[in-house]
Amino acid sequence: MDPFLVLVISTAVKIFIFTFVLILPIIAYSTYAERRVSSIIQDRVGPNRVGIPLTLFGFKKDIPLSGLLQPLADGLKNLLKEDLVPDHVRKFFFTIAPALTAVPAFLTLCVIPFGSQITVFGESIKLVIADIDAGPLFVFAIASLSVYGITFAGWASNNKYSFLGGVRSCAQMISYEIALGLSVIPVLMVFGQLNLSDIVQHQADNGWLLLPLWGEGLTTERILLLIPLFISFVVFTTSIFAETNRMPFDLPECETELVGGYHTEYSSMKFALFFLGEYAAMIVGSALIVTLFFGGWSVGFGLDAAISEMTFGGLIHLGAFLAKVIGFVIFFIWVRWTVPRFRYDQLMKLGWVVFFELALVNIFLTAGIMMLVN
Amino acid sequence: MATIKVTRPKLTLLEKIYLPAVIKGLCITFMHAIRSMLGKTPGANENFNSSGLGVTMQYPEQKWDDQLPDYYRGVPALVTDEEQRERCVSCQLCEFICPPKAIAIIPDEIESDDPWAKVEKRPKEFDIDMTRCIYCGMCEEVCPEQAIYLRKDYAMTGLSREDMVNDKKRLYEIGGVRTGLVNKWNEIK
């Protein structure tokens, strides 16, 4: 077959499957997981009722699924609700703001490697939508665009609480982006490249970044490097928390001071889009942490070469990747119900005084270790 | 007033780093989540009829009706006495005292050939509008014949406003029979 045609078709199929078949359901079910996990931590029950309402169609019994269809019901509810646009808002910006928060989160998905590769009709296809040589940079560039959505939402709402929420969120995201970008530099120094698929392949061969137990990972250099890499993992993860406006950094939403923050004036599907964007950003963040620090799709322990040999070994890798991402999403939820939220000045201090410096020093520490060992 | 000076606690280096404290907190919530799933958290025992996840009861399946106190004020209803006679004599005191004007009574005379003719009056219509009722219990307190009681039912639902009006027949259905208390109409006693 014509290689160009293969590229176009395979990319289209990959875009469809990764976004609509894999990530959208994971987003929907992470809202369900959020509610169930938090209810377990807080001694509650959570949504456990929604099943298939067969009685509505004349059958005798419903099929109870212990609330597993809750996300579907929520989505349907949001679609059917009245889309209320207040008179005092800037209509244009008010309308595009939700899309501007949701779109960047989905766009960043395209450089995340979901699995190694599968062979279909004799063609070996990499399970990544865009295999570009600037993966992390692309993610940071696109992900920071979601600041615009939040700022527009806060400003166009023409409401002082929304405005303050938008300003807070904007300041928070911009501050933590610096720590985010700097903390990833030691990682890139270790790998020596920016292509996320190659980074994952390297980890599959030589040990995950934070678990160097096989391949070249057993050298003194890698074991010494664990110290700066652990620091950059902590800084990176915390910055992702702040970037995605999750607890303990969820200052843009604050009932006591700011009502609902930047989405106070939004209703129905527009509100749902903010929600979707937030959770999509959380999942992309988790995917990035997994890809950079925990070996992406790699199963680990030197098994990956054998799995890659298989025709559909890529699907096993895909499963491993999704399992890791879901684990991280649950970690995000778990942290939410553990750590009390920060005060705004504490948040800014942590970002600018602690993490910025820590990430800078960490770069020199990594460079020093690499220089001394070689 | 004595002034109490509170000194901030001295933090050790580990506490200042904050990360060990976060990990400790994560352990605490994780252990609690495990105990919560095993149904071992405080309150998740049979004392509270709970569903096993904390003290939460799952309402339609699990109820606490047997724990309702005797003075519980639920749906008001009319009662009959031990000889199936309706106790209400249609004095309309409850109608007049009812704060939200939920009760509407149309009085009726008892015919002279009735064995209870000397009671003279009974209600022809007795409607309680449950969309108005505030469950205050004043009707029960004011009734000289002890004919109206607030029962322990609380789940009054209906699909229309008309459904929510309890007529005489339904009120007697809910109320049932109460014996004793008022014997003045009974010649034997």
Side-chain angles (χ1 to χ4, degrees):
Chain A
M1 262 205 282
D2 182 17
F4 181 71
L5 195 69
V6 171
L7 184 74
V8 169
I9 292 174
S10 68
T11 309
V13 169
K14 277 188 284 191
I15 288 171
F16 178 76
I17 287 180
F18 289 161
T19 46
F20 293 101
V21 183
L22 289 179
I23 293 302
L24 267 183
I26 290 180
I27 290 171
Y29 278 93
S30 62
T31 64
Y32 175 73
E34 170 103 56
R35 295 166 72 180
R36 279 316 278 265
V37 172
S38 53
S39 73
I40 285 169
I41 290 175
Q42 296 179 337
D43 282 1
R44 295 182 288 112
V45 180
N48 65 343
R49 295 280 155 161
V50 183
I52 302 170
L54 285 181
T55 38
L56 285 182
F57 306 108
F59 289 91
K60 280 251 163 59
K61 267 188 141 182
D62 291 338
I63 300 177
L65 289 172
S66 52
L68 272 176
L69 293 186
Q70 183 73 36
L72 225 70
D74 283 345
L76 201 66
K77 184 196 81 174
N78 274 317
L79 277 174
L80 294 177
K81 270 180 121 174
E82 184 189 357
D83 188 12
L84 194 84
V85 180
D87 279 338
H88 57 76
V89 301
R90 287 282 188 116
K91 298 272 179 335
F92 177 69
F93 294 111
F94 188 81
T95 315
I96 60 166
L100 273 182
T101 47
V103 166
F106 282 105
L107 264 183
T108 44
L109 276 179
C110 73
V111 290
I112 306 282
F114 280 75
S116 53
Q117 50 210 354
I118 51 172
T119 317
V120 185
F121 305 124
E123 302 277 348
S124 152
I125 295 167
K126 270 191 173 178
L127 290 181
V128 53
I129 297 171
D131 193 19
I132 58 173
D133 288 334
L137 290 183
F138 179 83
V139 172
F140 295 149
I142 300 293
S144 50
L145 283 181
S146 63
V147 174
Y148 282 109
I150 287 166
T151 320
F152 280 178
W155 177 69
S157 290
N158 196 7
N159 163 339
K160 49 182 168 292
Y161 297 117
S162 300
F163 179 68
L164 280 171
V167 167
R168 267 191 188 186
S169 182
C170 186
Q172 175 182 328
M173 286 170 95
I174 289 172
S175 316
Y176 275 85
E177 224 139 73
I178 297 168
L180 194 73
L182 285 177
S183 68
V184 91
I185 290 178
V187 178
L188 303 178
M189 278 159 72
V190 173
F191 291 129
Q193 61 185 340
L194 283 165
N195 185 320
L196 283 175
S197 331
D198 291 349
I199 284 177
V200 176
Q201 187 61 53
H202 185 265
Q203 290 187 75
D205 297 337
N206 299 317
W208 301 353
L209 203 59
L210 287 181
L211 198 70
L213 293 180
W214 56 92
E216 280 175 25
L218 290 164
T219 52
T220 359
E221 187 194 2
R222 283 292 291 276
I223 287 159
L224 270 178
L225 277 174
L226 271 183
I227 304 161
L229 288 178
F230 183 72
I231 294 173
S232 76
F233 167 68
V234 170
V235 174
F236 190 79
T237 312
T238 319
S239 304
I240 289 278
F241 272 90
E243 276 284 297
T244 51
N245 295 327
R246 290 283 304 180
M247 276 280 206
F249 306 111
D250 67 336
L251 289 152
E253 289 164 64
C254 178
E255 278 86 13
T256 46
E257 302 152 29
L258 296 176
V259 197
Y262 54 86
H263 51 54
T264 305
E265 303 282 0
Y266 284 87
S267 56
S268 90
M269 209 56 209
K270 288 206 186 85
F271 174 75
L273 266 182
F274 276 117
F275 228 70
L276 211 71
E278 201 173 295
Y279 279 89
M282 186 169 112
I283 283 159
V284 171
S286 314
L288 209 58
I289 295 171
V290 165
T291 308
L292 289 175
F293 294 97
F294 290 95
W297 44 256
S298 139
V299 178
F301 308 100
L303 300 170
D304 289 298
I307 294 172
S308 296
E309 294 286 306
M310 289 188 258
T311 323
F312 288 102
L315 294 183
I316 296 172
H317 283 147
L318 183 70
F321 176 74
L322 291 181
K324 285 180 199 174
V325 169
I326 289 165
F328 253 94
V329 169
I330 288 170
F331 174 72
F332 268 66
I333 297 164
W334 179 18
V335 166
R336 176 172 181 181
W337 302 109
T338 301
V339 186
R341 73 201 302 236
F342 281 64
R343 221 167 49 210
Y344 192 65
D345 62 315
Q346 289 171 334
L347 170 92
M348 280 299 163
K349 205 176 155 194
L350 187 72
W352 285 103
V353 180
V354 182
F355 278 176
F356 177 49
E357 275 78 356
L358 193 63
L360 261 184
V361 169
N362 201 23
I363 295 171
F364 289 106
L365 187 64
T366 319
I369 290 174
M370 288 173 91
M371 206 171 72
L372 279 180
V373 176
N374 296 332
Chain B
M1 286 292 278
T3 315
I4 301 167
K5 274 190 180 166
V6 182
T7 45
R8 286 186 182 276
K10 271 257 183 242
L11 297 179
T12 58
L13 183 69
L14 272 184
E15 283 167 332
K16 276 182 188 159
I17 290 175
Y18 197 79
L19 204 60
V22 171
I23 291 165
K24 215 159 140 190
L26 285 173
C27 288
I28 289 171
T29 38
F30 185 71
M31 291 317 288
H32 190 87
I34 298 268
R35 278 191 308 163
S36 169
M37 280 193 285
L38 295 175
K40 287 191 178 148
T41 44
N45 51 36
E46 59 278 8
N47 293 346
F48 294 99
N49 287 355
S50 77
S51 56
L53 273 169
V55 288
T56 315
M57 256 183 242
Q58 306 231 26
Y59 167 63
E61 291 91 9
Q62 292 167 329
K63 287 179 183 175
W64 223 17
D65 287 2
D66 51 330
Q67 305 282 329
L68 291 179
D70 287 335
Y71 48 81
Y72 185 81
R73 300 201 304 252
V75 174
L78 295 174
V79 293
T80 49
D81 68 1
E82 56 268 31
E83 285 158 70
Q84 300 303 310
R85 182 186 69 85
E86 50 185 318
R87 273 194 173 158
C88 180
V89 295
S90 203
C91 67
Q92 290 177 292
L93 276 177
C94 51
E95 183 175 357
F96 297 133
I97 198 136
C98 183
K101 296 188 166 51
I103 301 175
I105 303 170
I106 300 174
D108 188 23
E109 222 171 289
I110 300 180
E111 296 84 29
S112 50
D113 56 341
D114 195 279
W116 296 104
K118 68 173 178 177
V119 181
E120 290 182 0
K121 276 172 85 184
R122 68 178 171 207
K124 189 177 172 191
E125 293 289 334
F126 196 115
D127 291 341
I128 302 182
D129 188 349
M130 292 314 295
T131 55
R132 306 198 72 153
C133 178
I134 57 170
Y135 303 91
C136 63
M138 282 199 176
C139 44
E140 179 181 335
E141 274 189 45
V142 82
C143 184
E145 300 286 334
Q146 311 228 1
I148 185 164
Y149 279 94
L150 264 62
R151 308 307 304 245
K152 285 185 182 176
D153 311 52
Y154 48 84
M156 257 304 284
T157 52
L159 293 175
S160 63
R161 280 166 198 276
E162 290 73 42
D163 278 359
M164 293 299 285
V165 178
N166 287 339
D167 60 1
K168 201 171 115 179
K169 189 166 152 273
R170 241 187 90 57
L171 286 172
Y172 278 116
E173 246 168 52
I174 304 169
V177 182
R178 279 236 168 168
T179 54
L181 300 169
V182 179
N183 293 318
K184 64 182 167 183
W185 306 112
N186 195 332
E187 283 171 346
I188 308 155
K189 281 186 182 168

